[in-house]
Every structure is written in C-alpha cells, then in structure tokens.
Amino acid sequence: MLLSGLAGVASFIFSLYAFLSITQLPQQIAAAVMAGLFCLIVCYVASERPNSEGARALAALRDRLLAVEEGDLTSPTPELVQRTMPKVAAAVDSLFAEVRSSIDNAHALGMYDPVTSLPNRLNFRAEAERILAQASDRLSVMLFVDLDRFKAVNDSLGHARGDQLLVMVANRLRVVVNSETTTSSARPLLARLAGDEFTLLFPQVGTAAEAERLARRVVLAIGEPFELQGHSVDIGASVGVALAPLHGRSVEELMKAADIAMYRAKAGGGHQHCLFNDALAAEHRTRLETEKALVDAVQRGEFVLALQPQLSLHDGTVTGAEALLRWHHPVRGLVSPNEFIPVAEQCGVINDIGDWVMAEVAAMIASWEREDGGLRRVAFNVSPRQLERADFFARLRQIFAEAHVGLDRIELEFTESAAMECPASVLAEIAALRADGAAIAIDDFGTGYSNIARLRQLPIDRVKLDPSLIDDIATSEQARVVVQAVVQLVRGVECELVAEAVETVAQADILRAMGCETIQGFIFAEPMMEEEFLRWTSHAQAHPRVGRSAA
C-alpha cells in the first residue's frame, strides 16, 4: 500500500510538471499517459510481491507433505510457512503429532496384548525367528503353557475377574523370566498367544534336563493359589517343552512340538510338564491320519453298530440292548472305539457320527416293530461334545419322529463326568426327554468325581457300574465292599443298577445277591451284528432263565 501511494504521488507530480512546462496539448496528454502507466506498473509490482512469497510458502508446504511418503512424520513445517502462514503451520504440526500418536497406539495394539501388556503372537513369532536365526546350533527351549481350569474361573467369577487372573499369571511368569536372566545371556521371550495360552522362549540352555527344570519352575509358579477379590483360586498349568534344534529349527516347528507335548501333559491330568519326543510325534501323525479318515468314514459306510443284550438277574429275560459303535477301517481293519472316539471328540467329527448312530438305531427299531420284534429298549451313548450343540435335542427328536419310533424305545447313556458338569439348560432338556418316555442312564459310574447331592437331582433311571469296579469282585473282599456300598447308594437315589462287562458266573451270582437288577457281558453274549442279535434274542425269549442261576 505504501509503495502504491508513493507511485501515485510521483505520477501526480510528474503530470503537474508536464502540464506546467509543456504548452502543447498532444505532448501534455502523452506525458500524463506515461505517468499513469508508471503508476500502474508500480502498483502491479507492489501487489504481486506478497503473492509470490505465498506461492513459495505453499510450494514448501507441498514438499513437506510429499516427504510423508518417505516416512518423514517428525520434521517441522518449513520456516517460510511458519513466517507467512503461522496458523497453517501450527495446524500441520498438530496433525502430524496426532498421526504419530495414532501410529504408535496402533503398533502397540498390533504387537502387544492389551490385557497383560505382554508381546502377542505376531510380536513373539517375529522376535523368536530372529533369536533362533542367531542361535545357530545352540540349544534353545520353547515352553507352551496352558492354564488348566481357567474356563471355570471365567464361568463362575466373570470375564473381568478372568482378565485380572491373566494379569497375575503374566506377572508370575515375568518373575520366572527375570530370575533366569543373566547379564551374559540373551533375555528370554515371554508372550501371551491367545486366551489362557502363554509361551516362553529361552535362547540358550545347557541340556534337556535344564529345559525340564525351567518347565517345572513354571508349573510350580502357576500352581500356587491366586488371591482374587477375596477368592482363593487354584488353577494350575500344563506345560509342553520343545528343544531347538532337536525338535525343529523354526518357530512354527517348535510351537507345534510344544503344543503336542502340552496336550499330553493336560491329558495326564494337568499341573505337569511333558517333553516332546519321537513317540509323541508318531502318535500325533496317527491322530492326524485318524482325523482325516474319520471325516469320510460316515459317507463311506465304514461304521456299523453291534448290539449286546442286557438281561434281568431276576428272571433271565432280555430287557434291552446296548448299541456299540464299530469302525471297519479299510486299511487298519477293526479299530477299537477307545482309539477313535477320543479323536472324534477332539476334532468334532463325533457330532456327525452321533447323528449317524441315532439314525441307525431309529431305523433298526422301526424295522423290528414292523416285524413285531420284542425288545423294549435300545441304549446308545451320547458324547459330551454332542451336548454342546444347541440343536442336539431337537435333532434327536426329529430323527426318531421321522422314523416313527417312540422315545420310550430308547435309552440315552451319558458319562458320569458329563452328567455332573452339564448346565441347567441341558438337564432341563434331558428331563423333557425322560418325561416323553426315554430312559436316561449314567455310564461308567465310579470313575469320575460324583457329587452325591447332584446325583439325587439328576433326571436318571439307571446307573451303570464301571467294569473296573467288578473286575475282581469274586476274589477281593475289598472290591465287594465297595460295590455293595455303590449298590446301596444307587438304591438310595431310586435308580436301577446295571453291571456291564460281567464275564464269570461268580461275578453274576455275587451281583445278584447284592441286589443288582440287570447285567450285560460276555457271560451271556458278546456284541453281535443285528441279524445274529435277533436270532439270539428270539432263542432267549423262547427259553427264559426263570428260577435258574444267573449263569
């Protein structure tokens, strides 16, 4: 503005001088035009000068923003921008600060567990790969830690208390790591993988015995009770141990080996450790092969049902039968249920197998009724995994309804542990089945941890003694005392007692004298295919054992 004013004054003075000193009109006009042009040029230069400085500032700001592509989020805005456009410069600096903070938070969330602040699976794998690459042939150990009874804490005290417990577990593991860290050795890694799973990597150990000592320390550390909001919580831990390079050189191989060993420790009752070995590796391969074969076994028709009669010790009549699952593997031949049922339960195939069993039982009973068969009831086992399905009971009812078979023709057998642990909603469904005619039995009674008060509340009709209870009943006074006590207990809850795996006359006679109502076992008949079973029962009904010895 000052420069433009000075240009106007100069043009006025020049024009006045021209009018006073020049007498001819054309020359006066020419002089005035020149003075005006001079003023316009000066005003244009004055107006363009600040615009060019703003353009340079915008160009500098553009270069600064483009530098973000190279990862520069820390440099301040250029000095020219700060001087020319201070508010814009402050806004840009504030934006970059917020972006840096967001990136740091995202990195923390992506690499660390928000509950325990330990490294997460992604962070652990990256660091472990780096450490193992530098370890060369030095012996390293990976510990895979799984809490034994954490789910019970979540269910009883809530997830908030469960998170508090996870923090306490992490702190105890930190103590173990810190106590095993020396100035001359690389610091061990500790991470929470997921849920109640933790892992530790010790970069350098002397021997396998040293690795097992570390595992025992972890087991003992977690085994001590936790004080949680006025509750003393005892959970324990199962620890799998894998050594590098013996059991693998990569993180993937070591985690797989440690995971397999951990499951063996948990299968042994928990609160212990297990070192991975070749036998576990072979067992795992067999398990994977079994899982793969089980997936297709139902569609290929490899499963069959064998039927074993149940007889009354009072009059020798056939009161029913138990349907027993058999698998005819195309390569391995007849596979024992003890080998494939646990695998089927772990991989979830048991649900498909269970549906097949129910459909097969329904079809058999329907065919017997059309042929005027005489059996009152067929029993079959229900897996705890089947009870976890929300649609299990509806599916069961649908299968038997479509086959036009009444529920009074079937008996459902639940394991003792499943019956004791199932929730109230499942008990209500079981009670509804019983009200509609189905019989309910507790199988393998005497092997679990029965709650007598809960046993009285269960909607059950029969209790089946575990074979281990009667195995030496004919030769051991102590065994007879135990069985007699169980018989009195079952009578107290007003249930029928069934003994299975009865093999000798002496066993049968002792059980009858004790008050056992029904037995099944090799003493009468082995499990049979349907056609043979129908012939056997037809003969048994034609020649009842009334008034005879149980044998």
Side-chain angles (χ1 to χ4, degrees):
M1 291 176 62
L2 180 62
L3 186 61
S4 298
L6 291 176
V9 171
S11 298
F12 173 76
I13 294 173
F14 179 80
S15 299
L16 180 62
Y17 173 77
F19 274 98
L20 294 176
S21 60
I22 300 175
T23 58
Q24 295 183 2
L25 181 62
Q27 293 178 342
Q28 290 177 341
I29 293 174
V33 170
M34 291 179 63
L37 289 174
F38 171 77
C39 181
L40 287 174
I41 291 172
V42 173
C43 289
Y44 174 77
V45 171
S47 63
E48 283 298 313
R49 184 177 179 277
N51 289 342
S52 62
E53 187 174 24
R56 290 195 300 274
L58 289 176
L61 182 60
R62 178 201 61 196
D63 294 339
R64 173 65 190 91
L65 293 175
L66 290 176
V68 174
E69 293 184 359
E70 305 296 328
D72 184 4
L73 290 171
T74 58
S75 298
T77 54
E79 182 179 355
L80 180 60
V81 179
Q82 295 179 13
R83 184 178 69 252
T84 307
M85 297 176 284
K87 291 184 178 180
V88 173
V92 170
D93 288 339
S94 176
L95 176 62
F96 282 168
E98 292 181 5
V99 170
R100 289 194 301 270
S101 177
S102 298
I103 292 176
D104 292 341
N105 291 336
H107 180 267
L109 291 174
M111 302 297 286
Y112 291 89
D113 171 47
V115 176
T116 62
S117 299
L118 291 175
N120 60 12
R121 180 185 293 269
L122 181 64
N123 192 346
F124 175 80
R125 290 174 66 92
E127 286 297 312
E129 287 285 8
R130 181 184 61 79
I131 290 175
L132 291 175
Q134 297 174 353
S136 184
D137 290 329
R138 295 198 306 268
L139 196 64
S140 304
V141 59
M142 181 177 290
L143 304 182
F144 201 98
V145 183
D146 187 270
L147 304 183
D148 289 332
R149 291 173 291 277
F150 179 73
K151 184 178 183 299
V153 175
N154 263 349
D155 293 342
S156 59
L157 300 181
H159 290 277
R161 296 289 181 265
D163 287 347
Q164 292 179 10
L165 180 59
L166 289 174
V167 173
M168 298 169 73
V169 169
N171 289 337
R172 289 193 183 182
L173 293 177
R174 286 188 178 100
V175 171
V176 173
V177 167
N178 292 336
S179 64
E180 295 292 337
T181 302
T182 62
T183 55
S184 60
S185 62
R187 182 174 179 81
L189 289 180
L190 168 63
R192 180 192 176 200
L193 299 185
D196 59 350
E197 297 176 349
F198 296 82
T199 188
L200 299 92
L201 176 65
F202 291 86
Q204 187 173 356
V205 295
T207 61
E210 176 69 11
E212 293 197 72
R213 181 190 68 81
L214 294 171
R216 284 192 295 271
R217 280 208 61 184
V218 171
V219 171
L220 292 175
I222 307 302
E224 291 293 325
F226 293 85
E227 292 298 325
L228 185 63
Q229 297 293 319
H231 299 275
S232 180
V233 178
D234 187 5
I235 52 174
S238 299
V239 180
V241 185
L243 302 174
L246 299 179
H247 304 143
R249 293 183 176 273
S250 68
V251 172
E252 188 71 26
E253 292 172 336
L254 287 177
M255 291 183 72
K256 179 180 178 181
D259 188 44
I260 293 171
M262 181 276 294
Y263 275 107
R264 170 52 64 88
K266 189 172 287 290
H271 194 60
Q272 59 184 296
H273 76 278
C274 178
L275 177 64
F276 183 78
N277 54 46
D278 292 339
L280 283 179
E283 181 181 319
H284 181 68
R285 286 193 298 270
T286 302
R287 180 179 294 272
L288 291 180
E289 293 172 358
T290 302
E291 288 182 7
K292 184 178 180 181
L294 281 171
V295 172
D296 299 324
V298 176
Q299 287 75 17
R300 292 174 179 172
E302 297 173 5
F303 289 112
V304 295
L305 287 181
L307 298 166
Q308 187 171 36
Q310 297 177 341
L311 282 79
S312 169
L313 280 177
H314 175 66
D315 55 18
T317 59
V318 179
T319 61
E322 180 179 3
L324 302 170
L325 187 64
R326 297 290 184 263
W327 181 20
H328 288 284
H329 192 279
V331 178
R332 298 166 59 187
L334 190 64
V335 182
S336 169
N338 293 333
E339 294 183 37
F340 71 85
I341 291 295
V343 178
E345 289 182 333
Q346 288 184 6
C347 68
V349 182
I350 193 64
N351 291 316
D352 295 330
I353 296 175
D355 285 350
W356 178 87
V357 169
M358 291 189 293
E360 192 72 8
V361 169
M364 283 195 304
I365 297 176
S367 67
W368 298 346
E369 290 183 341
R370 288 192 299 269
E371 299 171 6
D372 196 23
L375 268 184
R376 186 170 67 89
R377 179 181 294 125
V378 175
F380 58 89
N381 289 278
V382 176
S383 166
R385 290 292 299 271
Q386 290 176 266
L387 295 178
E388 295 174 1
R389 288 179 54 179
D391 64 339
F392 168 73
F393 292 98
R395 179 67 177 151
L396 183 149
R397 290 179 178 274
Q398 179 185 0
I399 289 174
F400 285 94
E402 291 177 350
H404 304 289
V405 173
L407 295 179
D408 60 330
R409 299 297 302 275
I410 64 172
E411 177 178 307
L412 280 65
E413 295 186 0
F414 302 93
T415 63
E416 182 181 8
S417 57
M420 293 296 163
E421 296 173 0
C422 62
S425 58
V426 172
L427 288 180
E429 294 280 6
I430 295 174
L433 285 175
R434 185 168 180 253
D436 290 338
I440 307 299
I442 301 297
D443 195 18
D444 298 332
F445 186 80
T447 59
Y449 302 94
S450 295
N451 183 320
I452 305 303
R454 184 176 175 85
L455 185 65
R456 293 176 55 193
Q457 301 169 0
L458 293 176
I460 56 176
D461 301 285
R462 312 172 87 191
V463 173
K464 301 186 70 175
L465 290 179
D466 186 77
S468 62
L469 291 179
I470 64 172
D471 185 50
D472 56 350
I473 192 175
T475 58
S476 171
E477 177 65 25
Q478 186 179 32
R480 289 193 290 273
V481 171
V482 171
V483 173
Q484 185 65 66
V486 174
V487 170
Q488 295 301 319
L489 172 64
V490 173
R491 281 182 174 177
V493 295
E494 300 179 350
C495 290
E496 180 184 345
L497 188 68
V498 181
E500 54 185 345
V502 179
E503 298 181 352
T504 67
V505 174
Q507 289 175 336
D509 287 337
I510 292 172
L511 288 168
R512 181 175 61 172
M514 287 182 175
C516 181
E517 292 92 345
T518 306
I519 62 173
Q520 70 182 78
F522 287 2
I523 183 176
F524 292 114
E526 298 181 2
M528 299 169 277
M529 295 298 104
E530 181 183 3
E531 184 177 347
E532 182 183 359
F533 171 78
L534 291 176
R535 290 197 302 268
W536 189 94
T537 54
S538 177
H539 177 77
Q541 290 169 357
H543 302 84
R545 297 175 177 268
V546 178
R548 301 184 185 182
S549 164

